[in-house]
Amino acid sequence: EDRLHLVEHLASESRESTAEIRSSIQEALHLGEASERRTLGAVAEESRNRDLTLQREQQIREMITSEMETRFRKLLSDERASRYQESGMLQEQLGRMEENMSTERELQGKRMAEVVGKLDKVWKELE
């Protein structure tokens, strides 16, 4: 009977120990799941933050690119306007020079005619 009592006592302790172990395992599993959820949540949050950062950086790059394109187009437009103005000024100068050359040729022609006329006169007087 002592043995029976001892075996029952050991069986009872074994059941209690098994129940404690099960409880500890369940608690460990619960803690593991909670830790996994927190870890996955942190990874998801980091991923969202990274996506937002990448999106902001992309928007900044697009904005800077747009600003640079606008500046480049303005500079190109200014350069074209400047060259057009310079071209106009050069055409005006060329026109004035052509007029001066034409006037100078006419004047030279008249002078030459006067010189020829005087030479003819002198020649006739010499004859």
Side-chain angles (χ1 to χ4, degrees):
E1 208 171 292
D2 282 340
R3 278 187 165 187
L4 181 63
H5 190 282
L6 179 63
V7 169
E8 287 176 352
H9 178 66
L10 288 174
S12 174
E13 283 182 2
S14 176
R15 280 191 294 271
E16 287 176 11
S17 179
T18 302
E20 286 177 15
I21 290 172
R22 280 188 187 144
S23 175
S24 294
I25 290 173
Q26 286 178 350
E27 185 178 340
L29 287 174
H30 178 69
L31 290 173
E33 289 173 357
S35 176
E36 185 177 346
R37 280 193 303 275
R38 282 192 306 271
T39 302
L40 290 175
V43 169
E45 180 68 21
E46 180 64 29
S47 179
R48 281 190 296 274
N49 289 339
R50 186 181 316 161
D51 287 345
L52 287 173
T53 300
L54 289 174
Q55 186 179 22
R56 275 187 241 122
E57 288 174 355
Q58 179 66 26
Q59 288 172 343
I60 290 169
R61 279 193 297 276
E62 288 173 0
M63 185 178 67
I64 290 171
T65 301
S66 176
E67 287 176 6
M68 288 176 66
E69 183 179 353
T70 300
R71 287 180 188 169
F72 178 75
R73 289 183 187 276
K74 184 177 180 337
L75 288 172
L76 189 58
S77 175
D78 292 348
E79 181 66 24
R80 284 183 183 149
S82 176
R83 287 182 186 235
Y84 182 76
Q85 185 179 9
E86 286 177 15
S87 177
M89 290 170 51
L90 289 173
Q91 285 178 348
E92 287 178 19
Q93 287 177 349
L94 182 60
R96 284 193 302 269
M97 289 176 73
E98 286 175 346
E99 275 182 39
N100 290 340
M101 290 288 289
S102 178
T103 304
E104 188 66 33
R105 283 186 188 150
E106 287 177 20
L107 186 59
Q108 260 187 339
K110 287 179 185 177
R111 286 183 186 158
M112 189 62 93
E114 287 176 12
V115 169
V116 168
K118 287 182 182 178
L119 279 174
D120 279 346
K121 196 178 195 185
V122 170
W123 185 259
K124 284 182 183 178
E125 286 178 5
L126 286 174
E127 290 183 346

